[in-house]
Amino acid sequence: MTSVDTHDRASADRSDRQAVARRLLDSSEQLSYDPVQEVDWETPLDTDHHGTSPEWSTLYGTSYWDEMTPGQQRELTRQEAASVASTGIWFEMILQQMVLRDFYAKDPTDPAFQWALTEIADECRHSIMFARGAAKLRAPAYRPRRLVVELGRAFKTVAFGEAAYAAILVAEEVLDVMQRDWMRDERVAPFVRTINNIHVVEESRHMKFARDETRERLKGAGWLRKQVNAVVVAGASYAIVTSMVNDAVYANAGLDPARAIREARANEHHKSMLRSSCAGLMEFLDSCGLLTKASLVFYKRANLI
């Protein structure tokens, strides 16, 4: 390929990327929400509702679940929903820092630059929305384990290119599948369903951007680079998914934590739900060369494949 061909290809790629960013900006202008106005924050919590679809509970399908009263089941799903929201806040803060670093000192007239700032603004609103939602669910502040927090601190500092955007995609896609179920489930508290709907609509644009950026950054990447980044993304995925439901939710729901943790970790139903939710994601990572033998170790341990 001549230098002219290479220049033409790069110009075409840049034009395509800008066109995608413009469409995302247009979509954001036409369909975005203000959680302060859209979510019913004033109506007191109705404890007759769940926080997630029961089938997504980590204990659903276990003998312990069958022994629980309906009230205990609802309280557990509310605590689990709050834990997922808290984990979402933690990772959204990582996401914002990675995107800001990626676009630091770049051309502000570029639609991709403007879209990146729009995404960051979305994530700020989402984090506040999740925080208020968790508080309304009467849950404490759930945080990942200290080791995971420190690993996240390191990841947001050093991750770049396809490793950053593919990890962003994993976190968003897993949560997206869960929330699509929850937002349609009338057993779930109405304000939680509204939160889920807002997040699903707005994150669909973020996932489109993350997929396109992952493909773009991988152009010309060699075998070794893909091997290394595949493991980095898989490790980040493991940390994110295994942090979604904090072990403290069981005690806070009035359960025996030792038994609950034991049965949750052995729960084949929940593992199956996670695997089914990630089928499309795994196909995408495979198509990008980011699903390697080494990375499969992490995905299998996280029950994502």
Side-chain angles (χ1 to χ4, degrees), residues 89-142:
I89 294 169
W90 165 71
F91 192 76
E92 284 181 344
M93 294 185 73
I94 292 175
L95 180 160
Q96 291 171 56
Q97 293 178 73
M98 291 193 298
V99 173
L100 272 174
R101 190 180 70 245
D102 189 38
F103 281 86
Y104 174 71
K106 291 186 177 178
D107 180 3
T109 66
D110 184 344
F113 181 97
Q114 295 166 28
W115 166 251
L117 293 185
T118 301
E119 179 169 346
I120 291 167
D122 287 346
E123 297 297 3
C124 285
R125 290 197 311 276
H126 294 169
S127 293
I128 295 170
M129 176 176 71
F130 285 158
R132 292 186 67 177
K136 185 165 179 175
L137 286 167
R138 302 173 185 170
Y142 290 111

Side-chain angles (χ1 to χ4, degrees), residues 57-60 62 64-65 67-69 71-77 79-80 247-261 264:
S57 173
T58 55
L59 286 181
Y60 185 88
T62 66
Y64 203 173
W65 178 269
E67 295 173 21
M68 292 161 61
T69 66
Q72 288 176 315
Q73 293 171 352
R74 292 192 295 269
E75 178 60 27
L76 174 60
T77 63
Q79 293 296 320
E80 288 174 324
D247 287 347
V249 301
Y250 305 113
N252 291 332
L255 305 179
D256 174 357
R259 181 185 174 188
I261 292 169

Side-chain angles (χ1 to χ4, degrees), residues 181-246:
D181 284 349
W182 305 349
M183 73 184 194
R184 293 187 289 258
D185 193 336
E186 294 186 358
R187 296 171 294 178
V188 174
F191 83 95
V192 175
R193 294 173 62 193
T194 303
I195 288 173
N196 292 331
N197 182 68
I198 291 172
H199 198 249
V200 164
V201 170
E202 297 187 348
E203 287 294 326
S204 65
R205 295 189 286 263
H206 300 183
M207 289 188 290
K208 166 66 174 170
F209 186 64
R211 283 176 180 257
D212 288 349
E213 287 296 309
T214 300
R215 292 191 189 98
E216 180 67 26
R217 305 309 173 92
L218 280 169
K219 287 181 179 177
W223 178 87
L224 180 59
R225 177 173 156 184
K226 288 184 178 181
Q227 292 290 314
V228 171
N229 281 328
V231 172
V232 170
V233 172
S237 304
Y238 175 83
I240 294 163
V241 172
T242 57
S243 298
M244 282 190 169
V245 178
N246 192 295

Side-chain angles (χ1 to χ4, degrees), residues 84 130 170-180 199 244:
V84 170
F130 285 158
V170 170
E172 291 176 341
E173 291 247 8
V174 173
L175 192 55
D176 180 73
V177 174
M178 294 180 181
Q179 291 186 321
R180 285 180 185 274
H199 198 249
M244 282 190 169

